[in-house]
C-alpha cells in the first residue's frame, strides 16, 4: 500500500535561513509526487509537482527514487512562507495520498 | 484553474442527524473527490464521484454512511449520515484539471 511520511509536524526557522521539509514515500508503482500548501485562512493549493521540475516561490523539490524521498527546499525562507505544507503521492485514478503535514513557521 | 464552492462552510450538528454538503464547480469536470480532514490529521480520501455512475469508496468508507450524488458534471453532494462526534471533521471537495487538484474551502462539521 502507498504511504507518505512527513516526519516533522512542526518546523521553525528564522527569516533568511534555509529550510527543508522532509517527505518520504512508499509505493510499488511509478510515483508522481506533489507539494500542497495551505496558508492561514486560505484553501489548500498546489505548490509544485515533481514532473514539472520547476521552482515556485523559491521552493524546489527533487524526487530521489533511491531514497524514496521528495524533500521540499528553499535557500532563504521568508515570513510569508509560514504555512502548512503537505506532501502527496498520486496513485491510480488521480487519487492522492497525503502526508500528515508540516507546519512551517518563519520567524522575523 | 477551477473555482469550487462548498456549502455549508461550517455547521454544528446533533448526534444521530445527517447533513448534506454541496460542491459546485465553475465548469464541467469528469471526476470529483471528497476528502476528510479530522482534527490534527491529514487529508483522507473518502470517495471518487463520477457523473452517471456510483461513487467509488476508499477502504474504511461505505455508501450507507457517506452517500454521494453526482447529478451532473458541475455538482456533487456528500451526506454524512447518522453523525457521531467522531465525524467532526473538515470535509473537502476537489476536482482535477490539467493534472492538478483544486480544492474547495472545506465544510467544517462539529457534532455534539
Amino acid at each position: 500500500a502507498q504511504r507518505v511520511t512527513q516526519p516533522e509536524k512542526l518546523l521553525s526557522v528564522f527569516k533568511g535561513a534555509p529550510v527543508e521539509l522532509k517527505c518520504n514515500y512508499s509505493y510499488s508503482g511509478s510515483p508522481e509526487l506533489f507539494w500542497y500548501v495551505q496558508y492561514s485562512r486560505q484553501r489548500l493549493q498546489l505548490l509544485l509537482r515533481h514532473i514539472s521540475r520547476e521552482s515556485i516561490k523559491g521552493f524546489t523539490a527533487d524526487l530521489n527514487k533511491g531514497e524514496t524521498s521528495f524533500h521540499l527546499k528553499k535557500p532563504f525562507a521568508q515570513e510569508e512562507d509560514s504555512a502548512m505544507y503537505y506532501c502527496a503521492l498520486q496513485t491510480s485514478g488521480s487519487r492522492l495520498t497525503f502526508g500528515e503535514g508540516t507546519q512551517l513557521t518563519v520567524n522575523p | 484553474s477551477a473555482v469550487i464552492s462548498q456549502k455549508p462552510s461550517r455547521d454544528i450538528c446533533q448526534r444521530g442527524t445527517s447533513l448534506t454538503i454541496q460542491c459546485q464547480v465553475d465548469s464541467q469536470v469528469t471526476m470529483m473527490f471528497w476528502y476528510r480532514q479530522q482534527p490534527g490529521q491529514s487529508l483522507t480520501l473518502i470517495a471518487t464521484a463520477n457523473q452517471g455512475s456510483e461513487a467509488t469508496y476508499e477502504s474504511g468508507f461505505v455508501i450507507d454512511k457517506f452517500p454521494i450524488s453526482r447529478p451532473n458534471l458541475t455538482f456533487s453532494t456528500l451526506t454524512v449520515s447518522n453523525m457521531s462526534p467522531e465525524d467532526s471533521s473538515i470535509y473537502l471537495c476537489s476536482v482535477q484539471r490539467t493534472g492538478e487538484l483544486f480544492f474547495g474551502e472545506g465544510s467544517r462539521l462539529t457534532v455534539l
Side-chain angles (χ1 to χ4, degrees), chain B residues 79-92:
Chain B
T79 299
V80 187
S81 303
N82 187 24
M83 286 186 285
S84 66
E86 292 73 35
D87 294 320
S88 297
S89 293
I90 299 173
Y91 293 86
L92 296 119

Side-chain angles (χ1 to χ4, degrees), chain B residues 59-99:
Chain B
S59 176
F61 298 96
V62 295
I63 187 171
D64 290 346
K65 176 66 175 177
F66 298 100
I68 288 172
S69 78
R70 184 78 202 274
N72 57 53
L73 290 172
T74 62
F75 187 78
S76 178
T77 67
L78 169 76
T79 299
V80 187
S81 303
N82 187 24
M83 286 186 285
S84 66
E86 292 73 35
D87 294 320
S88 297
S89 293
I90 299 173
Y91 293 86
L92 296 119
C93 170
S94 72
V95 303
Q96 186 187 52
R97 185 164 293 154
T98 60

Side-chain angles (χ1 to χ4, degrees), chain A residues 32 34 36 49 90-91 93-96, chain B residues 2 4 25 28-33 94-103:
Chain A
E32 289 192 50
F34 303 79
Y36 280 80
R49 66 187 87 177
Q90 181 170 298
T91 57
S94 302
R95 292 147 62 230
L96 285 184
Chain B
I4 303 172
V25 188
Q28 295 181 347
V29 291
T30 303
M31 289 191 290
M32 297 177 76
F33 304 89
S94 72
V95 303
Q96 186 187 52
R97 185 164 293 154
T98 60
E100 178 178 341
L101 269 190
F102 295 90
F103 287 86

Side-chain angles (χ1 to χ4, degrees), chain A residues 4-54:
Chain A
V4 177
T5 304
Q6 292 179 249
E8 302 141 326
K9 278 190 178 286
L10 302 171
L11 184 61
S12 182
V13 301
F14 286 102
K15 176 183 173 181
V19 63
E20 180 180 51
L21 291 82
K22 291 185 168 54
C23 172
N24 289 90
Y25 68 91
S26 64
Y27 181 52
S28 57
S30 182
E32 289 192 50
L33 286 145
F34 303 79
W35 277 98
Y36 280 80
V37 60
Q38 188 166 27
Y39 300 102
S40 179
R41 288 187 288 276
Q42 294 187 29
R43 65 186 66 196
L44 193 63
Q45 58 186 283
L46 178 67
L47 179 62
L48 54 81
R49 66 187 87 177
H50 90 271
I51 59 173
S52 299
R53 301 184 68 82
E54 58 194 347

